[in-house]
Amino acid sequence: MKKILVATVKPFHPEAVENIKEKAANQGYEFQLLEKYGDQSELIDAVKDADALIIRSDKVTREVIEAGKNLKIVVRGGAGYDNVDLEAASEKGVVVMNTPGQNSNAVAELALGMMVYHARNHFNGKAGTELRGKTLGIHAYGNVGKLVAEIARGFGMAVYAFDPFIDKSIIEKDGVEALNTAEELYSTCQYISLHIPANEKTKRSINFDMLNKMPKGATLVNTARKEVIDEEGLKKVFAERDDFHYITDIAPDCKEEIAGKYDGRYFWTPKKMGAQTSEANINAGIAAINQIIGYFEKGDNTFQVNK
Ligand code: 3PG
């Protein structure tokens, strides 16, 4: 009997877990749940006899892959798979998939929600600003970026995007102006919303020079990954420009330094919240178990990311 392990430090909504459990049982698979674990050793121990693993931002290191003697597939319920050691997985013939698009709306709503919250001074009673008429640059026009653009247009923002991997005509049919370079995007937009993945090319790519191009009243919105920010550059722009704001769903490593000095110009969620809705959890969880069943029963590897 194949065993499916759901290992999530940050649990899925209970309904998502129930759905996964039920689908696994219907297929005749065994199911194990490891939630809110405190130590990586618990995952290493639990994965030992698992055939399939469903995770979120949980760290699937080489050690985890090697401990999973029967492991054939890891599905990241979500978009970013920078938490999985793809090289180790490929070496062991373990298929790694993500579930693209399943939690995008939740992340997009949070991006706009944080923008309103920050523009209104965290609801402290003082006069804030509005989003209508402001310029917003979407840095990477994938599933989340596209939805952020759609919602922002509803707010009356002027929306721009830069994505070297997407044909300009696809972006422009959404009423979004496609720009040619990231530099052009940063120079044009008062708000920049980041939707790039964290990989060797993008890590620390959002640096001082990029941020300093932003016009007066600049606000950087990060619901992507903290690793894409060059934190030395971030600290420098905070120090040199008193109009610069940073709002993020993933607190920076230098948060103590910023928090002490630049009150009112930053906001971060206490815990990464972007995909934390029941809808997103159910969508991503069901997609994950369906993809596992599709792979085991039909060899369907559509969403494999380590091909
Ligand atoms: C993703 O990559 O899908 C998001 O960052 C959500 O991550 P989470 O599942 O850890 O909330």
Side-chain angles (χ1 to χ4, degrees):
M1 190 190 261
K2 288 195 171 65
K3 181 166 172 178
I4 318 287
L5 170 67
V6 174
T8 48
V9 167
K10 184 172 57 182
F12 281 127
H13 187 276
E15 210 179 313
V17 177
E18 268 319 298
N19 269 297
I20 297 172
K21 198 171 164 183
E22 200 182 304
K23 281 193 175 259
N26 289 344
Q27 207 60 43
Y29 301 158
E30 202 184 319
F31 172 83
Q32 190 187 338
L33 182 62
L34 175 70
E35 284 182 334
K36 297 185 192 168
Y37 53 94
D39 198 274
Q40 187 73 354
S41 60
E42 293 178 60
L43 172 58
I44 290 167
D45 197 47
V47 81
K48 282 186 177 139
D49 57 352
D51 294 271
L53 172 62
I54 298 176
I55 47 145
R56 294 185 65 173
S57 289
D58 306 80
K59 299 218 175 330
V60 179
T61 57
R62 179 172 288 276
E63 211 182 345
V64 173
I65 304 266
E66 285 174 358
K69 298 280 176 240
N70 299 336
L71 197 61
K72 295 157 193 77
I73 178 167
V74 175
V75 181
R76 193 282 192 239
Y81 45 86
D82 46 306
N83 49 324
V84 181
D85 187 331
L86 294 187
E87 203 178 290
S90 300
E91 276 171 31
K92 267 206 68 195
V94 174
V95 166
V96 180
M97 295 185 187
N98 63 349
T99 63
Q102 302 294 343
N103 59 20
S104 307
N105 188 65
V107 180
E109 286 189 13
L110 185 80
L112 268 296
M114 289 198 306
M115 284 162 66
V116 172
Y117 179 64
H118 193 69
R120 294 302 185 93
N121 298 318
H122 307 178
F123 307 147
N124 70 357
K126 290 193 184 141
T129 55
E130 299 179 21
L131 299 185
R132 177 171 294 276
K134 304 292 188 304
T135 47
L136 167 67
I138 310 283
H139 193 166
Y141 204 72
N143 292 311
V144 182
K146 190 179 162 66
L147 286 163
V148 169
E150 184 185 319
I151 303 169
R153 273 168 45 79
F155 272 92
M157 299 187 86
V159 185
Y160 298 80
F162 168 68
D163 193 323
F165 304 106
I166 296 186
D167 200 88
K168 273 179 151 189
S169 63
I170 295 175
I171 297 174
E172 298 206 326
K173 79 172 168 30
D174 291 344
V176 174
E177 191 170 331
L179 300 178
N180 293 319
T181 61
E183 286 72 19
E184 208 185 332
L185 190 78
Y186 284 69
S187 331
T188 306
C189 298
Q190 291 153 301
Y191 283 87
I192 291 285
S193 190
L194 289 173
H195 303 292
I196 52 177
N199 57 38
E200 286 324 304
K201 281 204 174 121
T202 62
K203 281 182 187 167
R204 291 177 297 283
S205 64
I206 309 305
N207 55 26
F208 176 79
D209 288 344
M210 296 286 279
L211 297 174
N212 201 34
K213 288 188 192 326
M214 291 181 72
K216 198 164 169 44
T219 301
L220 179 68
V221 186
N222 187 2
T223 52
R225 292 288 182 272
K226 72 173 181 198
E227 290 81 3
V228 301
I229 308 287
D230 167 21
E231 294 201 3
E232 289 308 313
L234 180 72
K235 285 190 285 184
K236 191 166 177 220
V237 77
F238 260 114
E240 292 188 8
R241 285 184 52 172
D242 63 7
D243 66 314
F244 179 83
H245 295 241
Y246 182 46
I247 53 182
T248 179
D249 189 27
I250 330 96
D253 292 333
C254 64
K255 65 179 184 183
E256 307 301 340
E257 288 169 68
I258 294 174
K261 288 184 187 160
Y262 309 113
D263 279 353
R265 290 168 52 200
Y266 64 85
F267 168 74
W268 45 78
T269 51
K271 251 192 178 172
K272 188 170 159 220
M273 288 299 298
Q276 202 61 332
T277 66
S278 54
E279 293 91 335
N281 287 179
I282 290 166
N283 292 343
I286 290 180
I289 187 68
N290 282 345
Q291 287 173 212
I292 288 169
I293 294 169
Y295 180 67
F296 281 150
E297 306 304 322
K298 298 189 198 120
D300 182 352
N301 65 347
T302 308
F303 295 106
Q304 186 172 351
V305 293
N306 63 336
K307 275 180 188 164

